[in-house]
Amino acid sequence: DIAEAGFEVDIVEKNATIGGRMAQLDKTFPTLDCSACILTPKMVDCAQHENIDILSYSEVEDVKGFVGNFQVKIRRKARYVDETKCTGCKLCMEKCPSKKGLNEFNMNLNTRTAIHIPFAQAIPNVAVIDSTQCLKFKTGKCGICQKFCEVGAIDFTQQDTFVERQYGAIVVATGFKPIALDNFNEFGYADNKDVITSLELERLMNAAGPTN
């Protein structure tokens, strides 16, 4: 809405894709439309809008100033993939030998490769490397994804970078995260795999979820 009003907008998203929790849901009340059917066109609109710049995999480090004149420092985390080159072909994911990372998008109910795209309709549709799982970072050996990438998008030397921007206004959309259930086991969550959270149910119900 702000961009449509003629203002330039930066979307700073800490994850590798915009979409938030809505992207994880299956059906939505009261029409039972799939959440992706509602959400993904809006995500594409954001990506294609001339007044919107998406800073994914980034976090706000510092804010100074006042309404009408904010100076904001933004950390752009190294994804080890060049956003300007990656085409989202997923060939790197097919070839990656490290396949045992927990899939955060599916509430850790299945595994994913070290280099991955969070979900099929991700915006930007660009891979990201989990350096804690990647064999190249852990052992210094591998780099298979780099060898098979046909556009040369993989860059293991990439570092975090900082950008500083000026804004007149900031909209904070924090979203939510489920509470840690470590101290709430009266319902047997830790002991019984058939006791699940609502978000785990959403992913299990979803056709693109961990059970396919």
Side-chain angles (χ1 to χ4, degrees), residues 21-38 198-199 201-208:
R21 292 293 183 193
M22 179 79 170
Q24 293 178 291
L25 305 183
D26 184 37
K27 301 291 191 295
T28 53
F29 181 84
T31 58
L32 294 186
D33 287 332
C34 71
S35 69
C37 301
I38 301 168
S198 56
L199 272 178
L201 175 63
E202 291 288 345
R203 294 315 302 156
L204 290 168
M205 294 280 284
N206 195 294

Side-chain angles (χ1 to χ4, degrees), residues 41-73:
K42 294 183 182 297
M43 292 167 60
V44 172
D45 287 346
C46 286
Q48 295 181 346
H49 202 292
E50 60 181 6
N51 285 341
I52 296 179
D53 187 15
I54 297 174
L55 305 176
S56 65
Y57 213 50
S58 303
E59 295 194 56
V60 174
E61 287 280 308
D62 187 42
V63 178
K64 295 177 181 176
F66 48 87
V67 175
N69 186 24
F70 289 111
Q71 290 86 43
V72 181
K73 185 178 182 180

Side-chain angles (χ1 to χ4, degrees), residues 17-25 102-110 112 116-121 199 203 206 208-210:
T17 173
I18 59 174
R21 292 293 183 193
M22 179 79 170
Q24 293 178 291
L25 305 183
L102 291 177
N103 189 336
E104 305 91 340
F105 186 78
N106 280 335
M107 301 304 295
N108 298 334
L109 293 173
N110 67 337
R112 56 152 175 77
H116 61 282
I117 295 174
F119 62 101
Q121 296 82 23
L199 272 178
R203 294 315 302 156
N206 195 294

Side-chain angles (χ1 to χ4, degrees), residues 158-192:
Q158 208 176 74
Q159 301 288 322
D160 289 4
T161 57
F162 294 90
V163 295
E164 295 194 13
R165 302 268 175 99
Q166 283 190 298
Y167 302 107
I170 297 172
V171 177
V172 181
T174 59
F176 73 90
K177 63 180 178 180
I179 62 170
L181 295 172
D182 303 350
N183 299 320
F184 301 94
N185 203 37
E186 55 264 44
F187 299 113
Y189 179 82
D191 307 318
N192 190 331

Side-chain angles (χ1 to χ4, degrees), residues 125-159:
N125 192 27
V126 174
V128 60
I129 295 177
D130 181 350
S131 60
T132 64
Q133 180 191 347
C134 176
L135 297 176
K136 178 75 172 180
F137 287 99
K138 291 173 71 174
T139 66
K141 301 174 182 178
C142 191
I144 289 176
C145 58
Q146 191 175 46
K147 295 173 185 174
F148 280 95
C149 181
E150 296 176 350
V151 294
I154 312 298
D155 181 6
F156 292 112
T157 65
Q158 208 176 74
Q159 301 288 322

